[in-house]
Amino acid sequence: MQRSLTGLWQVSPLTDLSIPQDDITFPAALSSVLPQSLSEEQISQSEWHLMHFSDVDQAMLSCSSVDLVLSGVSHFAEVRVNGVAVFDCTDRNERYRKDIKPYLQEGGNRFEILFLEQDDDWLLDDEEFDTQPELCLLDMPNKAKDWLQSDEMGVWGESYLQFIRHVRLEQITTEQIWHHSGCELKVDLYYQTLSAGLVSASVKFDGRTYMMPIDVRQSHTSVLFQVDAPRYWNPEHPQDNDLYLIEVELDGQKHHIKIGLSESQCAAHFPL
């Protein structure tokens, strides 16, 4: 189960306190709710405080893990949960994930993003939280793609809580095996077991859905799809109509990935 955090966030200045507070809904640039007299350079050189509240009930807290997932943070930022700093975001990475269950409480919870001037030292050691520096453009919304060419300060990607009972899906990989009559698509799921239980995964591709029981003693499972007369995707002249959609669901975690079938793009990795 997911709980979106893309609702209203209160934006407050930390540098020039005369700037009025306002509310923003992401994905968006901070400039969309700030006075038009502020240039993008002035915004990026200032510090900002973003705050959002979300309720969590006892059933949610009974899960083995509650992951905070955040992506598309354009500038250096510190992320806090109920006043506790949990990780830093930098403009060099794209996706962040951390189990924040120890910092949550039943009822209202405060989430903060502080756009700050970056210090030389990290808030936390890199090994203490998961970042996903690799970026898959095929699975990004158009606004997030536009952000890659933009200097605007804002949050352009996903922000949500992922409640996990038994198994965390960590990575999806695909491999294309080409032969004279078409190709085969192998989809691999890599996961981490958090607690024992009966769990299954579903993978849907090209109108077919395979259900796979998950062995919680292992960390990997895979499925193979036969593709006859595939739509060929040309990376030099990409067309969205030539892409295929892969839908994966595991223990309440749902991911949609678009891929192109091409002999020059045989393997793809999607960290989650």
Side-chain angles (χ1 to χ4, degrees):
M1 180 180 66
Q2 287 185 6
R3 166 67 63 85
S4 175
L5 298 178
T6 55
L8 291 176
W9 287 72
Q10 183 187 77
V11 181
S12 304
L14 295 176
T15 303
D16 183 355
L17 301 183
S18 66
I19 298 173
Q21 296 179 341
D22 209 333
D23 292 331
I24 191 172
T25 300
F26 295 120
L30 297 189
S31 59
S32 64
V33 298
L34 294 176
Q36 295 184 355
S37 58
L38 292 175
S39 67
E40 196 59 46
E41 182 179 3
Q42 289 175 307
I43 294 173
S44 63
Q45 290 178 352
S46 301
E47 297 186 336
W48 304 92
H49 176 259
L50 282 60
M51 184 168 59
H52 176 82
F53 286 90
S54 183
D55 288 337
V56 175
D57 59 31
Q58 188 58 45
M60 296 173 179
L61 291 176
S62 67
C63 294
S64 297
S65 176
V66 182
D67 288 359
L68 171 60
V69 179
L70 184 62
S71 64
V73 180
S74 62
H75 291 62
F76 177 82
E78 177 184 300
V79 178
R80 297 178 181 175
V81 177
N82 289 325
V84 179
V86 293
F87 57 77
D88 286 349
C89 301
T90 79
D91 59 357
R92 294 185 300 273
N93 289 329
E94 174 62 19
R95 188 181 183 92
Y96 308 84
R97 181 178 67 191
K98 182 178 175 66
D99 179 10
I100 61 166
K101 180 180 176 181
Y103 314 115
L104 295 176
Q105 61 190 13
E106 186 175 1
N109 290 267
R110 185 175 75 255
F111 298 86
E112 298 168 275
I113 300 175
L114 288 83
F115 285 105
L116 305 172
E117 181 178 355
Q118 185 173 358
D119 296 327
D120 293 334
D121 297 330
W122 293 103
L123 170 68
L124 296 175
D125 189 88
D126 288 344
E127 294 180 356
E128 295 187 32
F129 60 91
D130 296 326
T131 64
Q132 307 297 343
E134 295 187 11
L135 192 59
C136 174
L137 296 180
L138 296 181
D139 197 32
M140 292 179 62
N142 289 331
K143 281 190 175 182
K145 291 181 182 179
D146 293 340
W147 166 74
L148 292 176
Q149 286 80 39
S150 173
D151 293 328
E152 293 180 298
M153 176 178 284
V155 178
W156 298 99
E158 301 172 302
S159 57
Y160 60 87
L161 298 178
Q162 179 68 64
F163 300 91
I164 306 172
R165 294 198 175 277
H166 302 290
V167 174
R168 176 187 289 120
L169 182 58
E170 296 188 321
Q171 181 171 259
I172 301 171
T173 68
T174 63
E175 180 182 358
Q176 301 172 31
I177 305 148
W178 287 85
H179 45 74
H180 66 279
S181 61
C183 80
E184 295 173 319
L185 178 69
K186 184 184 180 202
V187 180
D188 293 279
L189 308 181
Y190 294 88
Y191 56 87
Q192 177 189 12
T193 299
L194 304 176
S195 64
L198 297 176
V199 187
S200 63
S202 70
V203 180
K204 183 178 181 180
F205 171 78
D206 198 22
R208 290 165 289 172
T209 301
Y210 288 164
M211 301 293 298
M212 300 171 293
I214 295 297
D215 186 346
V216 295
R217 299 168 297 178
Q218 304 297 323
S219 59
H220 165 257
T221 188
S222 63
V223 62
L224 190 67
F225 293 91
Q226 177 68 42
V227 187
D228 298 319
R231 298 192 304 271
Y232 195 81
W233 185 76
N234 187 344
E236 296 182 359
H237 303 283
Q239 299 291 329
D240 287 346
N241 292 337
D242 294 331
L243 297 175
Y244 285 86
L245 179 66
I246 300 174
E247 300 176 60
V248 176
E249 184 172 354
L250 172 61
D251 201 12
Q253 301 153 82
K254 299 179 180 180
H255 296 281
H256 295 175
I257 295 171
K258 291 183 178 179
I259 67 164
L261 298 184
S262 170
E263 293 183 80
S264 63
Q265 305 283 326
C266 288
H269 304 270
F270 305 91
L272 302 173

